[in-house]
Amino acid sequence: MSERSPYLASRLQGFGTTIFAEMSALADRTGAINLGQGFPDVDGPDVVKDAAIAAIRGGQNQYPPGSGIPELRHAIAEHQERFYGLEYDAETEVLVTTGATEAVAASLLALCEPGDEVVTFEPYYDSYAGCTAMAGAHRRVVTLRPPDYGFDPTQLAAATTARTRLVLLNSPHNPTGKVFSRDELACIAEHCVEHDLIAVTDEVYEHLVFDGEHLPLATFPGMRDRTVTISSGGKTFSFTGWKVGWICASAPLIDAVRTAKQFLTYVSGAPFQQGIAVGLGLDDAYFDAFTTDMRAKRDLLVAGLSDVGFDVFAPAGTYFVTTDIRALGEHDGMAFCRALPGRCGVVAVPSVVFYDDVEQGGPLVRFAFCKRLEVLEEAVARLKGLGS
Ligand SMILES: Cc1ncc(COP(=O)(O)O)c(C=O)c1O
């Protein structure tokens, strides 16, 4: 949260520059290893790149259709069927967006009346708070508590009121790396059905599950037609700068979200859409190797941070690991992260930015492990110098 801005509309007061921008700028300035922002340091598959390059050379450089190019919409529908047995009509039930970020923004803007309430789980990805505020809605949070980051169903019940419009869920979950279990998802699904709530699910880490499995909320009884399922190609294909995202939902929900989306970006990234369409059609070997590679990185960083003396919550998914710095005799994650580049040449993110409850998030620090193994080894070696 930042100081009051003289120009900023009241609904956005308190939202300063995102912590990722601040910390990545700090990494650039100091030459520190950036384990703050979640972007890989190697590009994704050449075939995906080549498809985008061919599309640029082939003249696909003007506005694509409002819902996305047909090749990508069909590839998304086939992906949902192949991995989860979920059937969507590529013409009416799939919408391509400018990353998952726009998908979340358009969903909240389209579905919420001013004064409505959005229930989400804390810690939460920072755009959820900003987009809820832009929609004129209010967020109500249910806290995920370590060590397993489970939630108390009575807190979910208490957070739900007559004004609740939707539940906004992220699994696999950033920043904790939690993968919601079948029982937890069944509980959330039953809650949505009982209270007639829409679910908006952010599944951008769907192919980064190391332990357990990813279960889309839309697969649970009564959820298919009340769930707006969001994902994107950024994480799955290591092209975070392309910002190709999508939504799968029933036709009436897609129509509503498209109405908001058309006035945000209208469309974007025509040639990149061709690339991601090819990516979604890659064989299982690609998806398996991607997960295996990232699992090895997780294992290295989790072991390394434990050796350094952090209290580490091993993530079941995503490419983030949360640590508690009290084990190092520290308390203030924000101060710790601001000082870390100077102390040892590593950048991390203070998890407090993901919390309303600053007591909960204060001593927690998030590290990203989507970096080459040698970079992670070097980061761990530098962090070992912390005490000296
Ligand atoms: C949970 C979550 N949702 C959405 C996004 C943004 O996705 P995109 O780059 O596709 O907009 C991120 C990126 O870090 C994320 O962690």
Side-chain angles (χ1 to χ4, degrees), residues 23-24 26-28 30-37 39 41 301 337 340-342 344-349 367-368 371-383:
M23 290 299 163
S24 286
L26 193 59
D28 285 346
T30 59
I33 297 176
N34 189 355
L35 303 189
Q37 201 171 6
F39 61 88
D41 60 357
L301 193 62
C337 288
L340 202 57
C344 72
V346 174
V347 164
V349 163
F367 293 86
K371 310 291 171 182
R372 283 165 291 142
L373 287 170
E374 59 269 30
V375 173
L376 296 174
E377 276 162 5
E378 173 62 21
V380 169
R382 291 185 186 189
L383 286 162

PDB file of all heavy atoms in Angstrom, residues 23-24 26-28 30-37 39 41 301 337 340-342 344-349 367-368 371-383:
ATOM      1  N   MET A  23      10.678  -4.829  -7.290  1.00  0.00           N
ATOM      2  CA  MET A  23      11.771  -5.769  -7.009  1.00  0.00           C
ATOM      3  C   MET A  23      12.573  -6.113  -8.279  1.00  0.00           C
ATOM      4  O   MET A  23      13.784  -6.304  -8.213  1.00  0.00           O
ATOM      5  CB  MET A  23      11.210  -7.039  -6.355  1.00  0.00           C
ATOM      6  CG  MET A  23      10.730  -6.795  -4.947  1.00  0.00           C
ATOM      7  SD  MET A  23      12.085  -6.228  -3.853  1.00  0.00           S
ATOM      8  CE  MET A  23      11.167  -5.552  -2.492  1.00  0.00           C
ATOM      9  N   SER A  24      11.884  -6.186  -9.436  1.00  0.00           N
ATOM     10  CA  SER A  24      12.629  -6.462 -10.669  1.00  0.00           C
ATOM     11  C   SER A  24      13.520  -5.268 -11.025  1.00  0.00           C
ATOM     12  O   SER A  24      14.646  -5.448 -11.519  1.00  0.00           O
ATOM     13  CB  SER A  24      11.678  -6.784 -11.829  1.00  0.00           C
ATOM     14  OG  SER A  24      11.143  -8.075 -11.645  1.00  0.00           O
ATOM     15  N   LEU A  26      14.872  -3.320  -8.838  1.00  0.00           N
ATOM     16  CA  LEU A  26      15.968  -3.427  -7.870  1.00  0.00           C
ATOM     17  C   LEU A  26      17.004  -4.448  -8.359  1.00  0.00           C
ATOM     18  O   LEU A  26      18.221  -4.228  -8.271  1.00  0.00           O
ATOM     19  CB  LEU A  26      15.390  -3.849  -6.516  1.00  0.00           C
ATOM     20  CG  LEU A  26      16.257  -3.750  -5.275  1.00  0.00           C
ATOM     21  CD1 LEU A  26      16.722  -2.308  -5.053  1.00  0.00           C
ATOM     22  CD2 LEU A  26      15.466  -4.212  -4.042  1.00  0.00           C
ATOM     23  N   ALA A  27      16.507  -5.564  -8.908  1.00  0.00           N
ATOM     24  CA  ALA A  27      17.424  -6.592  -9.432  1.00  0.00           C
ATOM     25  C   ALA A  27      18.241  -6.020 -10.590  1.00  0.00           C
ATOM     26  O   ALA A  27      19.458  -6.218 -10.663  1.00  0.00           O
ATOM     27  CB  ALA A  27      16.630  -7.818  -9.896  1.00  0.00           C
ATOM     28  N   ASP A  28      17.580  -5.280 -11.485  1.00  0.00           N
ATOM     29  CA  ASP A  28      18.294  -4.689 -12.631  1.00  0.00           C
ATOM     30  C   ASP A  28      19.354  -3.697 -12.160  1.00  0.00           C
ATOM     31  O   ASP A  28      20.476  -3.681 -12.656  1.00  0.00           O
ATOM     32  CB  ASP A  28      17.313  -3.952 -13.561  1.00  0.00           C
ATOM     33  CG  ASP A  28      16.507  -4.935 -14.385  1.00  0.00           C
ATOM     34  OD1 ASP A  28      16.889  -6.129 -14.422  1.00  0.00           O
ATOM     35  OD2 ASP A  28      15.494  -4.519 -14.966  1.00  0.00           O
ATOM     36  N   THR A  30      20.883  -3.483  -9.264  1.00  0.00           N
ATOM     37  CA  THR A  30      21.967  -3.993  -8.423  1.00  0.00           C
ATOM     38  C   THR A  30      22.675  -5.195  -9.049  1.00  0.00           C
ATOM     39  O   THR A  30      23.690  -5.648  -8.519  1.00  0.00           O
ATOM     40  CB  THR A  30      21.412  -4.447  -7.053  1.00  0.00           C
ATOM     41  OG1 THR A  30      20.431  -5.462  -7.283  1.00  0.00           O
ATOM     42  CG2 THR A  30      20.780  -3.287  -6.297  1.00  0.00           C
ATOM     43  N   GLY A  31      22.121  -5.726 -10.144  1.00  0.00           N
ATOM     44  CA  GLY A  31      22.720  -6.921 -10.750  1.00  0.00           C
ATOM     45  C   GLY A  31      22.483  -8.166  -9.910  1.00  0.00           C
ATOM     46  O   GLY A  31      23.153  -9.189 -10.092  1.00  0.00           O
ATOM     47  N   ALA A  32      21.523  -8.106  -9.003  1.00  0.00           N
ATOM     48  CA  ALA A  32      21.239  -9.266  -8.146  1.00  0.00           C
ATOM     49  C   ALA A  32      20.505 -10.347  -8.945  1.00  0.00           C
ATOM     50  O   ALA A  32      19.906 -10.069  -9.986  1.00  0.00           O
ATOM     51  CB  ALA A  32      20.384  -8.833  -6.955  1.00  0.00           C
ATOM     52  N   ILE A  33      20.567 -11.585  -8.457  1.00  0.00           N
ATOM     53  CA  ILE A  33      19.807 -12.683  -9.077  1.00  0.00           C
ATOM     54  C   ILE A  33      18.336 -12.491  -8.733  1.00  0.00           C
ATOM     55  O   ILE A  33      17.983 -12.385  -7.555  1.00  0.00           O
ATOM     56  CB  ILE A  33      20.310 -14.047  -8.558  1.00  0.00           C
ATOM     57  CG1 ILE A  33      21.771 -14.257  -8.951  1.00  0.00           C
ATOM     58  CG2 ILE A  33      19.433 -15.169  -9.089  1.00  0.00           C
ATOM     59  CD1 ILE A  33      22.381 -15.545  -8.389  1.00  0.00           C
ATOM     60  N   ASN A  34      17.498 -12.455  -9.761  1.00  0.00           N
ATOM     61  CA  ASN A  34      16.087 -12.129  -9.535  1.00  0.00           C
ATOM     62  C   ASN A  34      15.244 -13.383  -9.303  1.00  0.00           C
ATOM     63  O   ASN A  34      14.802 -14.028 -10.247  1.00  0.00           O
ATOM     64  CB  ASN A  34      15.552 -11.329 -10.730  1.00  0.00           C
ATOM     65  CG  ASN A  34      14.160 -10.771 -10.468  1.00  0.00           C
ATOM     66  OD1 ASN A  34      13.552 -11.048  -9.426  1.00  0.00           O
ATOM     67  ND2 ASN A  34      13.651  -9.981 -11.397  1.00  0.00           N
ATOM     68  N   LEU A  35      15.038 -13.715  -8.042  1.00  0.00           N
ATOM     69  CA  LEU A  35      14.110 -14.803  -7.708  1.00  0.00           C
ATOM     70  C   LEU A  35      12.802 -14.196  -7.203  1.00  0.00           C
ATOM     71  O   LEU A  35      12.058 -14.812  -6.438  1.00  0.00           O
ATOM     72  CB  LEU A  35      14.713 -15.741  -6.661  1.00  0.00           C
ATOM     73  CG  LEU A  35      16.059 -16.397  -7.000  1.00  0.00           C
ATOM     74  CD1 LEU A  35      16.413 -17.471  -5.968  1.00  0.00           C
ATOM     75  CD2 LEU A  35      16.068 -17.012  -8.397  1.00  0.00           C
ATOM     76  N   GLY A  36      12.551 -12.959  -7.631  1.00  0.00           N
ATOM     77  CA  GLY A  36      11.339 -12.255  -7.214  1.00  0.00           C
ATOM     78  C   GLY A  36      10.197 -12.548  -8.166  1.00  0.00           C
ATOM     79  O   GLY A  36       9.315 -13.349  -7.875  1.00  0.00           O
ATOM     80  N   GLN A  37      10.250 -11.917  -9.338  1.00  0.00           N
ATOM     81  CA  GLN A  37       9.147 -12.057 -10.280  1.00  0.00           C
ATOM     82  C   GLN A  37       9.162 -13.443 -10.932  1.00  0.00           C
ATOM     83  O   GLN A  37      10.236 -13.977 -11.229  1.00  0.00           O
ATOM     84  CB  GLN A  37       9.266 -10.982 -11.358  1.00  0.00           C
ATOM     85  CG  GLN A  37       7.969 -10.701 -12.069  1.00  0.00           C
ATOM     86  CD  GLN A  37       8.076  -9.486 -12.977  1.00  0.00           C
ATOM     87  OE1 GLN A  37       9.147  -8.920 -13.162  1.00  0.00           O
ATOM     88  NE2 GLN A  37       6.962  -9.074 -13.550  1.00  0.00           N
ATOM     89  N   PHE A  39       9.169 -15.270 -13.772  1.00  0.00           N
ATOM     90  CA  PHE A  39       9.329 -15.522 -15.214  1.00  0.00           C
ATOM     91  C   PHE A  39      10.562 -16.391 -15.418  1.00  0.00           C
ATOM     92  O   PHE A  39      11.570 -16.231 -14.728  1.00  0.00           O
ATOM     93  CB  PHE A  39       9.417 -14.217 -16.024  1.00  0.00           C
ATOM     94  CG  PHE A  39      10.582 -13.328 -15.649  1.00  0.00           C
ATOM     95  CD1 PHE A  39      11.813 -13.490 -16.262  1.00  0.00           C
ATOM     96  CD2 PHE A  39      10.433 -12.345 -14.686  1.00  0.00           C
ATOM     97  CE1 PHE A  39      12.888 -12.683 -15.923  1.00  0.00           C
ATOM     98  CE2 PHE A  39      11.497 -11.539 -14.330  1.00  0.00           C
ATOM     99  CZ  PHE A  39      12.734 -11.702 -14.941  1.00  0.00           C
ATOM    100  N   ASP A  41      13.992 -18.075 -17.075  1.00  0.00           N
ATOM    101  CA  ASP A  41      15.153 -17.456 -17.744  1.00  0.00           C
ATOM    102  C   ASP A  41      15.575 -18.246 -18.974  1.00  0.00           C
ATOM    103  O   ASP A  41      16.669 -18.060 -19.493  1.00  0.00           O
ATOM    104  CB  ASP A  41      16.314 -17.244 -16.762  1.00  0.00           C
ATOM    105  CG  ASP A  41      16.807 -18.538 -16.134  1.00  0.00           C
ATOM    106  OD1 ASP A  41      16.214 -19.611 -16.408  1.00  0.00           O
ATOM    107  OD2 ASP A  41      17.796 -18.487 -15.378  1.00  0.00           O
ATOM    108  N   LEU A 301      15.921 -25.706  -4.856  1.00  0.00           N
ATOM    109  CA  LEU A 301      15.762 -24.472  -4.078  1.00  0.00           C
ATOM    110  C   LEU A 301      15.207 -24.749  -2.681  1.00  0.00           C
ATOM    111  O   LEU A 301      15.648 -24.144  -1.702  1.00  0.00           O
ATOM    112  CB  LEU A 301      14.870 -23.458  -4.817  1.00  0.00           C
ATOM    113  CG  LEU A 301      14.924 -22.056  -4.199  1.00  0.00           C
ATOM    114  CD1 LEU A 301      16.331 -21.453  -4.264  1.00  0.00           C
ATOM    115  CD2 LEU A 301      13.934 -21.106  -4.864  1.00  0.00           C
ATOM    116  N   CYS A 337      13.480  -8.087   2.255  1.00  0.00           N
ATOM    117  CA  CYS A 337      13.594  -8.161   0.783  1.00  0.00           C
ATOM    118  C   CYS A 337      14.240  -6.903   0.203  1.00  0.00           C
ATOM    119  O   CYS A 337      14.985  -6.982  -0.778  1.00  0.00           O
ATOM    120  CB  CYS A 337      12.226  -8.392   0.151  1.00  0.00           C
ATOM    121  SG  CYS A 337      11.627 -10.066   0.439  1.00  0.00           S
ATOM    122  N   LEU A 340      17.918  -7.382   0.869  1.00  0.00           N
ATOM    123  CA  LEU A 340      18.570  -8.619   0.417  1.00  0.00           C
ATOM    124  C   LEU A 340      19.549  -8.431  -0.753  1.00  0.00           C
ATOM    125  O   LEU A 340      20.652  -9.000  -0.719  1.00  0.00           O
ATOM    126  CB  LEU A 340      17.494  -9.655   0.071  1.00  0.00           C
ATOM    127  CG  LEU A 340      17.917 -11.131   0.085  1.00  0.00           C
ATOM    128  CD1 LEU A 340      18.493 -11.540   1.431  1.00  0.00           C
ATOM    129  CD2 LEU A 340      16.727 -12.015  -0.291  1.00  0.00           C
ATOM    130  N   PRO A 341      19.211  -7.632  -1.788  1.00  0.00           N
ATOM    131  CA  PRO A 341      20.180  -7.462  -2.882  1.00  0.00           C
ATOM    132  C   PRO A 341      21.501  -6.890  -2.388  1.00  0.00           C
ATOM    133  O   PRO A 341      22.575  -7.343  -2.819  1.00  0.00           O
ATOM    134  CB  PRO A 341      19.485  -6.479  -3.833  1.00  0.00           C
ATOM    135  CG  PRO A 341      18.043  -6.592  -3.509  1.00  0.00           C
ATOM    136  CD  PRO A 341      17.961  -6.904  -2.042  1.00  0.00           C
ATOM    137  N   GLY A 342      21.439  -5.935  -1.476  1.00  0.00           N
ATOM    138  CA  GLY A 342      22.659  -5.335  -0.939  1.00  0.00           C
ATOM    139  C   GLY A 342      23.417  -6.297  -0.042  1.00  0.00           C
ATOM    140  O   GLY A 342      24.645  -6.339  -0.036  1.00  0.00           O
ATOM    141  N   CYS A 344      23.308  -9.727  -0.099  1.00  0.00           N
ATOM    142  CA  CYS A 344      23.910 -10.922  -0.723  1.00  0.00           C
ATOM    143  C   CYS A 344      23.617 -11.090  -2.209  1.00  0.00           C
ATOM    144  O   CYS A 344      23.914 -12.136  -2.777  1.00  0.00           O
ATOM    145  CB  CYS A 344      23.508 -12.178   0.050  1.00  0.00           C
ATOM    146  SG  CYS A 344      21.803 -12.622  -0.173  1.00  0.00           S
ATOM    147  N   GLY A 345      23.018 -10.088  -2.855  1.00  0.00           N
ATOM    148  CA  GLY A 345      22.864 -10.169  -4.308  1.00  0.00           C
ATOM    149  C   GLY A 345      21.749 -11.094  -4.776  1.00  0.00           C
ATOM    150  O   GLY A 345      21.860 -11.723  -5.832  1.00  0.00           O
ATOM    151  N   VAL A 346      20.657 -11.168  -4.005  1.00  0.00           N
ATOM    152  CA  VAL A 346      19.498 -11.973  -4.409  1.00  0.00           C
ATOM    153  C   VAL A 346      18.236 -11.128  -4.197  1.00  0.00           C
ATOM    154  O   VAL A 346      18.151 -10.368  -3.228  1.00  0.00           O
ATOM    155  CB  VAL A 346      19.398 -13.274  -3.576  1.00  0.00           C
ATOM    156  CG1 VAL A 346      18.117 -14.043  -3.896  1.00  0.00           C
ATOM    157  CG2 VAL A 346      20.625 -14.167  -3.821  1.00  0.00           C
ATOM    158  N   VAL A 347      17.286 -11.275  -5.114  1.00  0.00           N
ATOM    159  CA  VAL A 347      16.003 -10.583  -4.964  1.00  0.00           C
ATOM    160  C   VAL A 347      14.902 -11.616  -4.697  1.00  0.00           C
ATOM    161  O   VAL A 347      14.830 -12.646  -5.366  1.00  0.00           O
ATOM    162  CB  VAL A 347      15.669  -9.764  -6.238  1.00  0.00           C
ATOM    163  CG1 VAL A 347      14.205  -9.359  -6.266  1.00  0.00           C
ATOM    164  CG2 VAL A 347      16.553  -8.520  -6.312  1.00  0.00           C
ATOM    165  N   ALA A 348      14.063 -11.313  -3.705  1.00  0.00           N
ATOM    166  CA  ALA A 348      12.885 -12.130  -3.402  1.00  0.00           C
ATOM    167  C   ALA A 348      11.713 -11.179  -3.191  1.00  0.00           C
ATOM    168  O   ALA A 348      11.886  -9.957  -3.233  1.00  0.00           O
ATOM    169  CB  ALA A 348      13.137 -12.985  -2.158  1.00  0.00           C
ATOM    170  N   VAL A 349      10.534 -11.727  -2.955  1.00  0.00           N
ATOM    171  CA  VAL A 349       9.340 -10.886  -2.803  1.00  0.00           C
ATOM    172  C   VAL A 349       8.755 -11.078  -1.395  1.00  0.00           C
ATOM    173  O   VAL A 349       8.582 -12.223  -0.958  1.00  0.00           O
ATOM    174  CB  VAL A 349       8.295 -11.261  -3.884  1.00  0.00           C
ATOM    175  CG1 VAL A 349       6.928 -10.733  -3.533  1.00  0.00           C
ATOM    176  CG2 VAL A 349       8.720 -10.738  -5.244  1.00  0.00           C
ATOM    177  N   PHE A 367      10.243 -16.979  -2.921  1.00  0.00           N
ATOM    178  CA  PHE A 367      11.315 -17.109  -3.923  1.00  0.00           C
ATOM    179  C   PHE A 367      10.760 -17.852  -5.142  1.00  0.00           C
ATOM    180  O   PHE A 367      10.010 -18.823  -4.986  1.00  0.00           O
ATOM    181  CB  PHE A 367      12.485 -17.926  -3.365  1.00  0.00           C
ATOM    182  CG  PHE A 367      13.236 -17.254  -2.247  1.00  0.00           C
ATOM    183  CD1 PHE A 367      12.798 -17.375  -0.931  1.00  0.00           C
ATOM    184  CD2 PHE A 367      14.379 -16.514  -2.501  1.00  0.00           C
ATOM    185  CE1 PHE A 367      13.496 -16.764   0.108  1.00  0.00           C
ATOM    186  CE2 PHE A 367      15.083 -15.898  -1.473  1.00  0.00           C
ATOM    187  CZ  PHE A 367      14.647 -16.023  -0.172  1.00  0.00           C
ATOM    188  N   ALA A 368      11.160 -17.434  -6.338  1.00  0.00           N
ATOM    189  CA  ALA A 368      10.759 -18.143  -7.569  1.00  0.00           C
ATOM    190  C   ALA A 368      11.882 -19.084  -7.978  1.00  0.00           C
ATOM    191  O   ALA A 368      13.058 -18.723  -7.903  1.00  0.00           O
ATOM    192  CB  ALA A 368      10.486 -17.139  -8.683  1.00  0.00           C
ATOM    193  N   LYS A 371      14.206 -20.764 -12.734  1.00  0.00           N
ATOM    194  CA  LYS A 371      15.490 -20.281 -13.265  1.00  0.00           C
ATOM    195  C   LYS A 371      16.397 -21.485 -13.517  1.00  0.00           C
ATOM    196  O   LYS A 371      16.172 -22.559 -12.935  1.00  0.00           O
ATOM    197  CB  LYS A 371      16.160 -19.321 -12.261  1.00  0.00           C
ATOM    198  CG  LYS A 371      15.246 -18.202 -11.749  1.00  0.00           C
ATOM    199  CD  LYS A 371      14.881 -17.178 -12.811  1.00  0.00           C
ATOM    200  CE  LYS A 371      13.792 -16.238 -12.279  1.00  0.00           C
ATOM    201  NZ  LYS A 371      13.339 -15.249 -13.250  1.00  0.00           N
ATOM    202  N   ARG A 372      17.441 -21.283 -14.323  1.00  0.00           N
ATOM    203  CA  ARG A 372      18.350 -22.401 -14.615  1.00  0.00           C
ATOM    204  C   ARG A 372      18.966 -22.938 -13.317  1.00  0.00           C
ATOM    205  O   ARG A 372      19.185 -22.171 -12.368  1.00  0.00           O
ATOM    206  CB  ARG A 372      19.443 -21.935 -15.579  1.00  0.00           C
ATOM    207  CG  ARG A 372      18.952 -21.820 -17.028  1.00  0.00           C
ATOM    208  CD  ARG A 372      19.913 -21.040 -17.876  1.00  0.00           C
ATOM    209  NE  ARG A 372      19.901 -19.643 -17.451  1.00  0.00           N
ATOM    210  CZ  ARG A 372      20.972 -18.864 -17.386  1.00  0.00           C
ATOM    211  NH1 ARG A 372      22.157 -19.319 -17.716  1.00  0.00           N
ATOM    212  NH2 ARG A 372      20.860 -17.616 -16.980  1.00  0.00           N
ATOM    213  N   LEU A 373      19.279 -24.236 -13.307  1.00  0.00           N
ATOM    214  CA  LEU A 373      19.798 -24.852 -12.082  1.00  0.00           C
ATOM    215  C   LEU A 373      21.039 -24.127 -11.572  1.00  0.00           C
ATOM    216  O   LEU A 373      21.197 -23.909 -10.364  1.00  0.00           O
ATOM    217  CB  LEU A 373      20.117 -26.331 -12.330  1.00  0.00           C
ATOM    218  CG  LEU A 373      18.895 -27.253 -12.465  1.00  0.00           C
ATOM    219  CD1 LEU A 373      19.308 -28.634 -12.946  1.00  0.00           C
ATOM    220  CD2 LEU A 373      18.126 -27.352 -11.149  1.00  0.00           C
ATOM    221  N   GLU A 374      21.933 -23.714 -12.508  1.00  0.00           N
ATOM    222  CA  GLU A 374      23.159 -23.061 -12.054  1.00  0.00           C
ATOM    223  C   GLU A 374      22.868 -21.693 -11.418  1.00  0.00           C
ATOM    224  O   GLU A 374      23.569 -21.252 -10.500  1.00  0.00           O
ATOM    225  CB  GLU A 374      24.203 -22.947 -13.177  1.00  0.00           C
ATOM    226  CG  GLU A 374      23.785 -22.182 -14.413  1.00  0.00           C
ATOM    227  CD  GLU A 374      23.144 -23.074 -15.487  1.00  0.00           C
ATOM    228  OE1 GLU A 374      22.511 -24.084 -15.141  1.00  0.00           O
ATOM    229  OE2 GLU A 374      23.273 -22.728 -16.684  1.00  0.00           O
ATOM    230  N   VAL A 375      21.799 -21.052 -11.886  1.00  0.00           N
ATOM    231  CA  VAL A 375      21.414 -19.760 -11.293  1.00  0.00           C
ATOM    232  C   VAL A 375      20.883 -19.995  -9.875  1.00  0.00           C
ATOM    233  O   VAL A 375      21.213 -19.254  -8.935  1.00  0.00           O
ATOM    234  CB  VAL A 375      20.351 -19.060 -12.179  1.00  0.00           C
ATOM    235  CG1 VAL A 375      19.802 -17.814 -11.503  1.00  0.00           C
ATOM    236  CG2 VAL A 375      20.948 -18.726 -13.551  1.00  0.00           C
ATOM    237  N   LEU A 376      20.086 -21.047  -9.718  1.00  0.00           N
ATOM    238  CA  LEU A 376      19.553 -21.364  -8.386  1.00  0.00           C
ATOM    239  C   LEU A 376      20.684 -21.744  -7.436  1.00  0.00           C
ATOM    240  O   LEU A 376      20.697 -21.338  -6.265  1.00  0.00           O
ATOM    241  CB  LEU A 376      18.531 -22.502  -8.482  1.00  0.00           C
ATOM    242  CG  LEU A 376      17.267 -22.183  -9.297  1.00  0.00           C
ATOM    243  CD1 LEU A 376      16.397 -23.432  -9.436  1.00  0.00           C
ATOM    244  CD2 LEU A 376      16.462 -21.063  -8.639  1.00  0.00           C
ATOM    245  N   GLU A 377      21.667 -22.518  -7.956  1.00  0.00           N
ATOM    246  CA  GLU A 377      22.814 -22.904  -7.114  1.00  0.00           C
ATOM    247  C   GLU A 377      23.577 -21.677  -6.658  1.00  0.00           C
ATOM    248  O   GLU A 377      23.960 -21.538  -5.493  1.00  0.00           O
ATOM    249  CB  GLU A 377      23.741 -23.849  -7.889  1.00  0.00           C
ATOM    250  CG  GLU A 377      23.271 -25.281  -7.820  1.00  0.00           C
ATOM    251  CD  GLU A 377      23.888 -26.164  -8.912  1.00  0.00           C
ATOM    252  OE1 GLU A 377      24.757 -25.693  -9.673  1.00  0.00           O
ATOM    253  OE2 GLU A 377      23.462 -27.328  -8.994  1.00  0.00           O
ATOM    254  N   GLU A 378      23.789 -20.752  -7.579  1.00  0.00           N
ATOM    255  CA  GLU A 378      24.509 -19.526  -7.243  1.00  0.00           C
ATOM    256  C   GLU A 378      23.710 -18.698  -6.216  1.00  0.00           C
ATOM    257  O   GLU A 378      24.278 -18.150  -5.269  1.00  0.00           O
ATOM    258  CB  GLU A 378      24.773 -18.709  -8.524  1.00  0.00           C
ATOM    259  CG  GLU A 378      25.374 -17.324  -8.329  1.00  0.00           C
ATOM    260  CD  GLU A 378      26.753 -17.319  -7.668  1.00  0.00           C
ATOM    261  OE1 GLU A 378      27.437 -18.359  -7.697  1.00  0.00           O
ATOM    262  OE2 GLU A 378      27.121 -16.252  -7.092  1.00  0.00           O
ATOM    263  N   ALA A 379      22.390 -18.644  -6.398  1.00  0.00           N
ATOM    264  CA  ALA A 379      21.555 -17.884  -5.451  1.00  0.00           C
ATOM    265  C   ALA A 379      21.660 -18.482  -4.053  1.00  0.00           C
ATOM    266  O   ALA A 379      21.807 -17.758  -3.060  1.00  0.00           O
ATOM    267  CB  ALA A 379      20.099 -17.881  -5.924  1.00  0.00           C
ATOM    268  N   VAL A 380      21.618 -19.818  -3.982  1.00  0.00           N
ATOM    269  CA  VAL A 380      21.714 -20.480  -2.670  1.00  0.00           C
ATOM    270  C   VAL A 380      23.085 -20.190  -2.050  1.00  0.00           C
ATOM    271  O   VAL A 380      23.190 -19.873  -0.852  1.00  0.00           O
ATOM    272  CB  VAL A 380      21.459 -22.001  -2.800  1.00  0.00           C
ATOM    273  CG1 VAL A 380      21.813 -22.720  -1.512  1.00  0.00           C
ATOM    274  CG2 VAL A 380      20.001 -22.259  -3.172  1.00  0.00           C
ATOM    275  N   ALA A 381      24.128 -20.270  -2.879  1.00  0.00           N
ATOM    276  CA  ALA A 381      25.488 -19.997  -2.356  1.00  0.00           C
ATOM    277  C   ALA A 381      25.552 -18.571  -1.807  1.00  0.00           C
ATOM    278  O   ALA A 381      26.115 -18.330  -0.736  1.00  0.00           O
ATOM    279  CB  ALA A 381      26.514 -20.185  -3.464  1.00  0.00           C
ATOM    280  N   ARG A 382      24.956 -17.632  -2.512  1.00  0.00           N
ATOM    281  CA  ARG A 382      24.962 -16.245  -2.019  1.00  0.00           C
ATOM    282  C   ARG A 382      24.169 -16.103  -0.718  1.00  0.00           C
ATOM    283  O   ARG A 382      24.581 -15.404   0.188  1.00  0.00           O
ATOM    284  CB  ARG A 382      24.356 -15.316  -3.083  1.00  0.00           C
ATOM    285  CG  ARG A 382      25.224 -15.177  -4.310  1.00  0.00           C
ATOM    286  CD  ARG A 382      24.612 -14.152  -5.243  1.00  0.00           C
ATOM    287  NE  ARG A 382      25.347 -14.081  -6.499  1.00  0.00           N
ATOM    288  CZ  ARG A 382      25.140 -13.151  -7.418  1.00  0.00           C
ATOM    289  NH1 ARG A 382      24.218 -12.220  -7.219  1.00  0.00           N
ATOM    290  NH2 ARG A 382      25.838 -13.147  -8.529  1.00  0.00           N
ATOM    291  N   LEU A 383      23.009 -16.777  -0.687  1.00  0.00           N
ATOM    292  CA  LEU A 383      22.171 -16.674   0.522  1.00  0.00           C
ATOM    293  C   LEU A 383      22.876 -17.274   1.733  1.00  0.00           C
ATOM    294  O   LEU A 383      22.641 -16.856   2.876  1.00  0.00           O
ATOM    295  CB  LEU A 383      20.821 -17.373   0.282  1.00  0.00           C
ATOM    296  CG  LEU A 383      19.855 -16.600  -0.627  1.00  0.00           C
ATOM    297  CD1 LEU A 383      18.753 -17.512  -1.171  1.00  0.00           C
ATOM    298  CD2 LEU A 383      19.227 -15.423   0.119  1.00  0.00           C
TER     299      LEU A 383
END
